[in-house]
Amino acid sequence: MPPAAERTFLVESYVPNLDEAAAAALSSRLRSAIDELRREGHMLAWLRSFALVGEETYVWMLAAVNADDVALVDQRAGLAHHAHVVEVVPGEPAATSRRPRSHPSG
C-alpha cells in the first residue's frame, strides 16, 4: 500500500499577550516538535507561520497526512492555546479580468 499523501493544514490560535518574542518562541517549539515527530516516522513538513500581534493571533501551516498528526505536533510543542485547524485545498485559478467588448449599435 502506498504511503498516504501529505495535505496542507492551516492552524490558527488565540494567544493572549502575543508579541514578536512569543511568536518566535512558538515557531521554535513547533519546529522542534515537527523534527521530533519526523524522526519517529511521521510525514510532516513545516511550511510557514505569521503572527497578528495586535489581534493576539498566531497562524502556522504544515504539511501532514491527517489532522491527527497536526494535533500531535500541537501536543508535543506543549501549546495550551485553543486552535482552529483547517485543511487548505487548491481553489480555482484566478480568472483574468477582461474589459467587456462594446458592440456598435446600429
Side-chain angles (χ1 to χ4, degrees):
M1 176 185 257
E6 286 187 332
R7 301 170 355 211
T8 300
F9 291 90
L10 180 138
V11 184
E12 177 186 13
S13 300
Y14 167 72
V15 182
N17 305 312
L18 181 67
D19 59 16
E20 289 181 33
L26 283 170
S27 294
S28 179
R29 287 170 41 200
L30 287 163
R31 286 176 185 238
S32 293
I34 288 170
D35 289 344
E36 283 179 24
L37 290 164
R38 284 177 57 97
R39 286 192 294 274
E40 294 172 15
H42 294 270
M43 292 177 52
L44 299 164
W46 174 265
L47 298 177
R48 66 188 47 90
S49 67
F50 60 91
L52 302 172
V53 175
E55 297 184 28
E56 299 182 319
T57 301
Y58 178 81
V59 178
W60 54 287
M61 295 178 70
L62 77 159
V65 173
N66 56 50
D68 291 339
D69 283 348
V70 177
L72 276 175
V73 172
D74 208 43
Q75 180 183 11
R76 186 70 60 96
L79 300 182
H81 314 293
H82 178 69
H84 298 282
V85 178
V86 294
E87 182 178 355
V88 178
V89 295
E92 295 288 324
T96 56
S97 65
R98 287 198 223 171
R99 199 182 287 171
R101 291 184 185 176
S102 59
H103 295 279
S105 7

